[in-house]
Amino acid sequence: GTVVRARQPTQSYVQAVRSPAELLQYPPESKLVVVGTGEVRATRKLARQLGCATGSRWFRISCVRRLRDSKVPICWVDVYVLPDYASIVGRRQPVYEAIEQRFGQQVAGVDIELRAGLIAADIAKPLDVLPGTPSLTVIRRYVGPDRKLFEVSVSEHPAERYTYSLHLKRGWQSGAAGGWAAL
C-alpha cells in the first residue's frame, strides 16, 4: 500500500476531553437528588428524544440537581437506563461510571444534543419556575462498543441558570497517527 503524508502538520483548534465526565460538567459542589424512579415504555415522542425504538423498555430516574448551599435548583434530570441496570440508583457517582463498574458496560461514545425549549408544566414547580419558561435541554446518549444505547440523560435547565463555556487550544494533527497534540 501507499501512504501519503503532508509535509506540514495540519493545525486546528482542539478541546481535550479525557472522560465523559468532562463533557458539559456541572460544578463539583452540585448534587443530584432523586425524586422518583420507575420503568417506562418509550412512546413515539420519548423514543425520538432518546434515540430508541418506540415501545422499548427503560428504567427512569428523575432527579433535581442543585448546588449544595442553595435551594434554587439548577435543572431537572431524567436518566434512562436499560432495566437490567436499575440497581445503580443511589450511587454517588455518574451513572455511566456506576454501570461500568457494576456491570462492565464500557462507554464507547457519547452523543450530546443541545436544544432550546420551554419548561413543561410537570417539572415547573420542582424547578421553581413558571410553565413555559425558556429552557435549554441537554441530551446525552451513551453507547457501548457494540454501538447499542444503554443510557440517556435528559437535563432541562431554566435558561437563566445555565451557561456553557468552551476552551479550545491551538493544536496540530499528525499525519502518521491521526492523533492530536496541543502546541
Side-chain angles (χ1 to χ4, degrees):
T2 303
V3 177
V4 178
R5 292 189 192 178
R7 293 186 192 276
Q8 298 291 327
T10 304
Q11 288 193 9
S12 300
Y13 286 94
V14 298
Q15 180 185 24
V17 178
R18 291 174 192 82
S19 77
E22 293 180 2
L23 298 169
L24 304 175
Q25 62 186 347
Y26 290 98
E29 65 276 7
S30 72
K31 66 177 181 172
L32 272 179
V33 177
V34 176
V35 296
T37 62
E39 193 168 302
V40 297
R41 283 207 180 266
T43 61
R44 279 191 184 132
K45 181 180 176 183
L46 182 59
R48 278 193 305 275
Q49 186 177 51
L50 300 184
C52 68
T54 300
S56 59
R57 292 177 36 234
W58 291 89
F59 186 78
R60 180 177 56 205
I61 307 161
S62 296
C63 312
V64 174
R65 180 176 293 280
R66 28 178 114 252
L67 294 173
R68 293 188 198 282
D69 296 334
S70 174
K71 293 192 186 277
V72 178
I74 296 172
C75 64
W76 178 271
V77 183
D78 281 321
V79 179
Y80 297 87
V81 298
L82 295 176
D84 291 347
Y85 303 149
S87 63
I88 54 89
V89 174
R91 302 238 174 177
R92 297 198 181 272
Q93 66 191 118
V95 172
Y96 75 89
E97 281 182 6
I99 292 171
E100 200 167 55
Q101 287 177 5
R102 180 150 185 186
F103 299 99
Q105 173 66 66
Q106 293 184 347
V107 176
V110 183
D111 294 320
I112 300 174
E113 186 177 314
L114 303 172
R115 297 180 182 174
L118 302 173
I119 299 290
D122 61 330
I123 64 170
K125 187 173 181 178
L127 286 174
D128 197 22
V129 296
L130 295 174
T133 297
S135 68
L136 181 68
T137 304
V138 179
I139 302 171
R140 295 176 182 88
R141 296 179 185 95
Y142 297 81
V143 296
D146 56 3
R147 295 299 299 157
K148 288 186 181 174
L149 189 65
F150 69 88
E151 177 189 342
V152 181
S153 70
V154 180
S155 304
E156 192 76 31
H157 305 81
E160 77 280 357
R161 298 182 198 162
Y162 188 85
T163 301
Y164 179 64
S165 300
L166 180 66
H167 178 74
L168 301 174
K169 291 184 179 181
R170 186 120 184 153
W172 57 271
Q173 182 178 15
S174 69
W180 293 95
L183 290 178

